[in-house]
Each structure stands twice: as C-alpha cells, then as structure tokens.
Amino acid sequence: MEPLVLPLDAAEAREPALVGSKGASLARLVGAGLPVPEGFCVTTRAFAAFVDDGPTRRRVRALSGLRVEEPQAVAEAARALRAHLETRPLPDRVSRAIAEALAAYGAERAWAVRSSATAEDLPDASFAGQLDSFLNVRGLDALLLHVRRSMARLYRERAHTYRARQGVPHDDVALAVVVQRMVRADASGVLFTADPLTGNRFVTAIDAGFGLGEAVVAGRVAPDQVRVDVRGGRLLEYRTGAKRCATEPRVEGGTQLKALPPEVCGAHVLSDEDVRTLVGLGQRAQAVNGAPQDVEWCREGGRFLLLQARPITSLFPLLSPLPHDGALHVYQSFNHRQGMTEAVPPLVADTWCRCIPFGKRRGSTERSCWSATAGGRVYFDLTPLLTRPGSRRRILAQMPKADARMALAVEEVVRRPGFDAGPKVSLGQMFPWMPLAWAGFFAAL
C-alpha cells in the first residue's frame, strides 16, 4: 500500500506521481546532498483518500466539463468545490499519519506548507503561482487545516484555466503537500541558472531581498539584481534595489510586512562570497534536475538553503546541432527570412536543411553544415560569411531591407572583440553557390 506521508529523504519521495513535481524535485536535491529544510510530503495517496467520495467526485466532474470560454461558470463551480473541500475533514488515517510525522520532527516547530501537483513544474509548463503556499503554520490543528486548504486550491479558477490552456486533463492531476521546517530567513530570493531575459545559459541571474522570500516573489519590493558569468565566476552586474520592506513571521503564526530603516534599504543583501555560494548551489541544482532551474533560496544564520527548484519554461530551445568551436556564432532564422514565422513540422525542417545549398558539396543530399534547428524553425549560420570583410559588408547592407532591428543587433555582435577569429568560409566553399548569392544581392537593390 502506498504511504500517506513520506519524509523528503526517502527514496520513494523522488517519484512525482506520489509527491508531485515540487516534492520530487526537493527530494532529488536532498538525495544529492544539497541543503534543503527538513520535512515530509503528504502524498497523492492521501489526496485521493480526501476527494474519494460521491459528492466530491460529482463536483470535480462538473468543473472538469466546463470550458475556459465560460469564465463565470468556471468561477462558480470552482468556488463551490473549494468551499466543499475546505469544510470537509481529512480522513482519520490521513490525519493520524500527519500527526505522527509532526511528532517525529517536533510538534512545537513552525512549518511552511506548499502545494505540489503532479502536473506542475514540467519542462514546458511551470504552473508557477497557480497554487498556494502557507508560511509559519503552528500546531497540529493549523497544519491539518492548511493541508486541506492546499488540496482544495488545486481546483481554484486560475489553476483550472491554466491546465485547460496547457492541454492538461483535469482528471489526470493529483496533489501532494510539502511540509517543511519554517526557516527564519534574514535574506531570501530567486535564482535562475540561465538568464530568463536573454536566454544566456552561461549567466546566472539572482534577485535578493531581506527577510522571507514572499515579498520578493510577490513583487512587493524592488530586490537587488545580480548577474554572474558562470564560466569564470565573473560578476557582470550588482544592481541595488529599493528594499523598503521585508516579510517576517509573526509570533502567533502567519507573516507580516515590516518597513525597513533607510540605511538598510540601500544596503547590499549579498556579499561577493554569498553570490559565489549561490551560483554554485544553482549549478548543482541544475545538474541534479538536468535542465536550467528557477530556484527559490534563503539564508539563515549565514547558511543558504534551497526551498524549491523547477525548470525555467520560458527559454527558447537550444540549436541542434550546437557549434563546438567555442566561438561566437550568429544565426538567422530561415523561417522569418521566408516570411514563415510559425514552427514547421520536423520533416519540413529537415528538408529545408538538405535543400539549402550553402556549406555543402554540389549535388549532396546531406544537411547543410551551416544549418541548425530549434523550436520547429530552421536557422542558417551566418558566422563564416560575417567573419570575411567582403561578404560581411554585403550582408550588413542587405539585412536592413529585411529587418532593421536585426541588422542593428548583428552589427553590434560583429564589432565585439574576437569575433573575426571565428570560423570563415573558404573560396572553395563559396564558389558553387556564389552566382546564387550575387543574384539575390542584386535583386534586393
């Protein structure tokens, strides 16, 4: 029989079907020796026991049958289902399992309670912000209440709508609850192991604020913003934010916002050593989970802890194949050049790569060595042409006719030190298709 409660350091806790994606990610971090607050998961087996009765199932089916184009009906059905679940007690065996886990860790402790759905934190859909977290929960009765509330929030309106738009069947989703020791953090924030704005996989971006991370994650403060090149550990930027307040725990439970004195608002949250430590932890979390990560972290008594790690879903896929010469490359979207901005099927992309004459022998049916694909689009490596002065002038003269902003971006890149040392096209490679290039150039004049 599957367990109702699992400690985070149990091998079974690495199974998303049992503890949800968030719980499984934390369990993997624990298994890899990364610093994570101790705790346990109330499993999807407990959730199934909670919702396994006739009236609840009928309400779930009614909500699942509604379309996102019926927002009022969805809102009313979701509200009724949540109200039903929040007033319904957990089954006795689930309550007993939670009470036993609480006693093992210390009933006097404060806890953080976080939802962990089986369909969240996926490679292509994070579900960030769709479910709830409850901080500084004290006592068994409060913990049971917030576990119940967490389970009920799986059916909130915005979570239902997000699942529908992501094509996730509602009946396939179950929910676990992660219960961890409440950390008395003096600093918290988020870390991205790849820059979410530029997509650069070699830049770690950190947001940091004082106190608990709730104020940073909710956007209530302007945090310090840090960017680091992970290849050499070079600090690229440290921008100090106006941190006018911080979230802190209340003695009676829950949290509150507290105003910070002016001399603290403008102070750096992180030292250089703190930044290096966080970057290292982020890289380890990325290695464990096998993809760029969005990490929530905190600092307690000088020690850093990881509270959550999930895939960054906003990054555009990397090109395939990637260049391996270590040089800076410039690629142009063949789709956009042809006025076809949407993704194409794999067969179409492969055919284009084989038909492009550049960078291949005349008559060859192989893919052009200057072609690559990403996100259902074909890209052409302009680098061998841009590193030769003659062909560079012609390309830069023609490019504004297609896209002025793209031309400005390419001009900025080719001016970077060392760009000319990149790969160059030989005259032998250029000769077979030179007439086509000149014809296209003069046709664009």
Side-chain angles (χ1 to χ4, degrees):
M1 184 176 178
E2 291 180 335
L4 300 173
V5 171
L6 275 174
L8 282 173
D9 58 3
E12 290 175 279
R14 301 173 199 174
E15 295 295 330
L18 198 54
V19 299
S21 300
K22 185 181 301 174
S25 174
L26 286 170
R28 287 193 296 270
L29 297 182
V30 171
L34 275 85
V36 173
E38 61 268 33
F40 57 92
C41 291
V42 182
T43 68
T44 54
R45 178 72 179 176
F47 172 79
F50 179 49
V51 300
D52 190 21
D53 73 291
T56 301
R57 288 296 180 191
R58 285 194 294 274
R59 291 175 186 270
V60 171
R61 282 196 297 271
L63 177 61
S64 301
L66 296 174
R67 300 176 301 158
V68 294
E69 293 81 6
E70 306 172 275
Q72 185 173 352
V74 168
E76 291 175 357
R79 254 193 316 270
L81 178 53
R82 288 200 316 276
H84 167 73
L85 290 175
E86 288 182 4
T87 56
R88 184 170 182 262
L90 292 167
D92 288 343
R93 56 196 177 97
V94 175
S95 298
R96 285 196 302 271
I98 295 173
E100 290 170 4
L102 193 66
Y105 285 98
E108 74 285 352
R109 284 185 171 184
W111 301 92
V113 180
R114 296 184 172 92
S115 303
S116 178
T118 55
E120 69 175 338
D121 297 351
L122 302 176
D124 55 354
S126 74
F127 288 78
Q130 303 306 313
L131 302 174
D132 282 326
S133 296
F134 303 98
L135 303 180
N136 199 29
V137 177
R138 296 176 175 272
L140 176 60
D141 290 341
L143 181 58
L144 295 176
L145 171 65
H146 286 89
V147 167
R148 197 166 67 238
R149 284 179 175 173
S150 295
M151 291 180 173
R153 300 298 169 89
L154 179 67
Y155 301 111
R156 69 190 310 170
E157 178 186 355
R158 66 184 184 186
H160 171 92
T161 301
Y162 190 80
R163 286 194 297 270
R165 289 176 175 164
Q166 293 292 325
V168 177
H170 304 290
D171 293 340
D172 292 350
V173 182
L175 189 132
V177 180
V178 177
V179 181
Q180 291 176 281
R181 176 181 68 85
M182 181 67 193
V183 178
R184 298 191 67 86
D186 58 82
S188 305
V190 293
L191 176 151
F192 299 91
T193 62
D195 191 329
L197 297 180
T198 66
N200 192 331
R201 265 70 167 182
F202 298 114
V203 171
T204 287
I206 304 171
D207 286 357
F210 291 115
L212 301 176
E214 192 176 28
V216 174
V217 174
R220 294 191 177 96
V221 299
D224 288 3
Q225 295 180 321
V226 189
R227 294 172 68 250
V228 180
D229 188 327
V230 298
R231 290 169 293 189
R234 182 167 63 95
L235 181 65
L236 301 175
E237 178 184 37
Y238 194 118
R239 184 181 302 171
T240 306
K243 304 169 292 294
R244 295 187 175 88
C245 61
T247 305
E248 63 177 23
R250 297 185 301 178
V251 175
E252 65 273 22
T255 61
Q256 62 185 1
L257 276 178
K258 179 182 178 181
L260 294 174
E263 63 272 16
V264 175
C265 295
H268 278 198
V269 176
L270 302 172
S271 66
D272 291 347
E273 181 60 30
D274 288 339
V275 171
R276 286 191 290 270
T277 300
L278 276 174
V279 170
L281 289 174
Q283 291 300 299
R284 290 175 63 189
Q286 177 173 284
V288 169
N289 288 321
Q293 296 290 292
D294 168 358
V295 180
E296 292 184 20
W297 59 268
C298 69
R299 185 180 65 199
E300 180 186 44
R303 181 183 181 226
F304 285 95
L305 298 166
L306 305 186
L307 306 176
Q308 184 171 311
R310 57 178 170 241
I312 304 174
T313 58
S314 59
L315 297 175
F316 194 77
L318 290 173
L319 291 167
S320 178
L322 283 169
H324 297 290
D325 54 13
L328 181 64
H329 284 248
V330 175
Y331 287 83
Q332 183 180 28
S333 169
F334 189 74
N335 289 59
H336 288 73
R337 184 67 177 158
Q338 300 300 315
M340 301 174 64
T341 59
E342 297 298 322
V344 297
L347 179 60
V348 175
D350 184 69
T351 301
W352 282 1
C353 290
R354 294 177 187 278
C355 290
I356 292 173
F358 314 135
K360 60 188 292 187
R361 300 185 306 274
R362 184 187 293 273
S364 171
T365 59
E366 298 174 351
R367 289 169 64 111
S368 167
C369 64
W370 293 352
S371 68
T373 56
R377 295 165 180 85
V378 174
Y379 292 83
F380 179 62
D381 190 354
L382 296 178
T383 315
L385 299 175
L386 290 172
T387 51
R388 293 186 66 94
S391 53
R392 177 195 297 180
R393 284 194 300 271
R394 294 182 181 93
I395 289 174
L396 292 180
Q398 186 184 14
M399 195 169 282
K401 298 180 174 66
D403 191 309
R405 289 179 297 178
M406 178 175 63
L408 291 173
V410 172
E411 287 176 1
E412 189 277 326
V413 171
V414 300
R415 285 196 297 266
R416 294 185 185 179
F419 180 81
D420 286 339
K424 294 178 175 62
V425 61
S426 67
L427 292 176
Q429 287 176 301
M430 293 176 70
F431 181 76
W433 50 267
M434 184 62 74
L436 293 174
W438 279 107
F441 172 68
F442 285 115
L445 293 178

